[in-house]
């Protein structure tokens, strides 16, 4: 019989008393990062991949060893783990460069993305002018959707240069959201450090894409009285930082919340110690799991859409009042690109290959 991540109550040596089940500890163990990759547990033991510990001490230099020596609360040399933080027994300074579960998952997901899109790019070269099929046919609608419904409408005529970044963000988040739902996988997009880094990249792209009109609206907002302009400067500057911050928190909170809800339903079985609880918790847990499949792509879409909107706002030019919206729309030349057959073939070199 499988135990719940190795934390199910087990009898002591005397068999008189069982250890109490701690649902909070179990849930945090699943959603947090760790120095080992715990796949699953059975009565025969735990199936764990121990990851390398890479620590640097200014006084002693570099140390590299397996996390197997310290994950069970043991001390190796002068190293030990306290709530998954590497510390030293003598209190000396240590810098942790270890390959944690999330770092390993990041490497795996990045490798998957590279393999997938290299395969798709080669398929387009081999089947030039033919109808898409297989993996190529599955991914083409998503790329066309990001191009036509996100990039073009949010950024405008300069959308092409940002397609590689938007596609990378969309598929990276979507793939990792799905991988996070598989048993034993890492909760990569539920790690605020990962989502914050994605948000920082969006901020960098937005700021380096900004024009004079963008900064004019921040430091000298047109159309408002002079005293109010001065007040608006710090407000607008805070808004520049808050926008990407909201991206990071939204993705992190939604993905983490889904995992916590599913694990909470499963924990009910062990809390009440009754198989009958499974008739309630398992269907609800399954429903949330299916709902998370929708959330996985929805959160990837929202992050990509807001990123495109921020970039579009930074690129927006000042238009005279005599120019109506219809005139601006005609300048984009969208209708011209929608003619003919598959538009995705035109994206292969600038978008997919770069992605």
């Amino acid at each position: 019989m499988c135990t719940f991540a190795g934390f199910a109550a087990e009898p002591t040596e005397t068999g008189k008393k069982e250890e109490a089940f701690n649902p909070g500890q179990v849930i945090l163990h699943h959603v947090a990062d760790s120095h080992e990759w715990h796949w699953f547990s059975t009565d025969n033991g735990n199936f764990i991949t121990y990851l390398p510990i890479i620590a640097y001490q200014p006084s002693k230099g570099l140390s590299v060893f397996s996390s197997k020596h310290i994950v069970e609360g043991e001390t190796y040399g002068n190293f030990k783990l306290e709530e998954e933080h590497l510390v030293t027994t003598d209190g000396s300074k240590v810098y942790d460069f270890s390959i944690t579960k999330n770092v390993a998952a990041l490497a795996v997901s990045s490798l998957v993305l590279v393999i997938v899109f290299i395969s798709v790019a080669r398929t387009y070269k081999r089947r030039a002018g033919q109808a898409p099929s297989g993996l190529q046919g599955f991914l083409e609608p998503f790329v066309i959707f990001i191009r036509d419904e996100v990039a073009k409408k949010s950024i405008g005529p300069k959308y092409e240069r940002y397609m590689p970044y938007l596609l990378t963000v969309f598929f990276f988040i979507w793939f990792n959201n799905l991988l996070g739902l598989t048993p034993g996988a890492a909760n990569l997009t539920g790690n605020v450090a990962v989502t914050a880094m994605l948000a920082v990249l969006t901020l960098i792209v937005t700021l380096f894409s900004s024009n004079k009109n963008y900064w004019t609206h921040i430091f000298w907002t047109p159309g408002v009285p002079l005293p109010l302009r001065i007040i608006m400067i710090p407000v607008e500057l805070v808004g520049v930082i808050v926008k990407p911050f909201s991206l990071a928190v939204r993705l992190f909170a939604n993905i983490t919340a889904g995992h916590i809800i599913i694990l909470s339903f499963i924990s009910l079985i062990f809390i009440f110690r009754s198989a009958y609880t499974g008739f309630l918790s398992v269907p609800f847990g399954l429903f949330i799991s299916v709902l998370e499949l929708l959330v996985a792509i929805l959160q990837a879409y929202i992050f990509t859409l807001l990123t495109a909107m921020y970039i579009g706002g930074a690129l927006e030019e000042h238009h005279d009042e005599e120019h109506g919206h219809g005139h601006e729309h005609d300048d984009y030349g969208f209708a011209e690109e929608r003619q003919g057959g598959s538009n995705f073939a035109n994206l292969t070199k600038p978008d997919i290959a770069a992605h």
Side-chain angles (χ1 to χ4, degrees), residues 111-129:
L111 181 62
V112 170
L113 283 169
V114 169
I115 293 174
V116 166
F117 283 95
I118 287 179
S119 174
V120 171
R122 288 177 177 175
T123 303
Y124 269 100
K125 291 181 180 180
R126 186 175 64 254
R127 296 173 53 84

Side-chain angles (χ1 to χ4, degrees), residues 197-248:
M197 194 64 239
L198 291 173
V200 168
L201 290 175
T202 292
L203 176 61
I204 293 174
V205 172
T206 301
L207 295 181
F208 277 90
S209 302
S210 58
N211 54 24
K212 180 180 178 181
N213 183 56
Y214 175 77
W215 294 108
T216 300
H217 276 76
I218 292 177
F219 290 103
W220 206 247
T221 308
V224 297
L226 179 60
L228 187 58
R229 287 184 179 183
I230 299 175
I231 299 175
M232 289 297 294
I233 291 176
V235 175
E236 291 289 345
L237 288 175
V238 170
V240 172
I241 305 299
V242 169
K243 287 178 180 178
F245 175 78
S246 66
L247 287 177

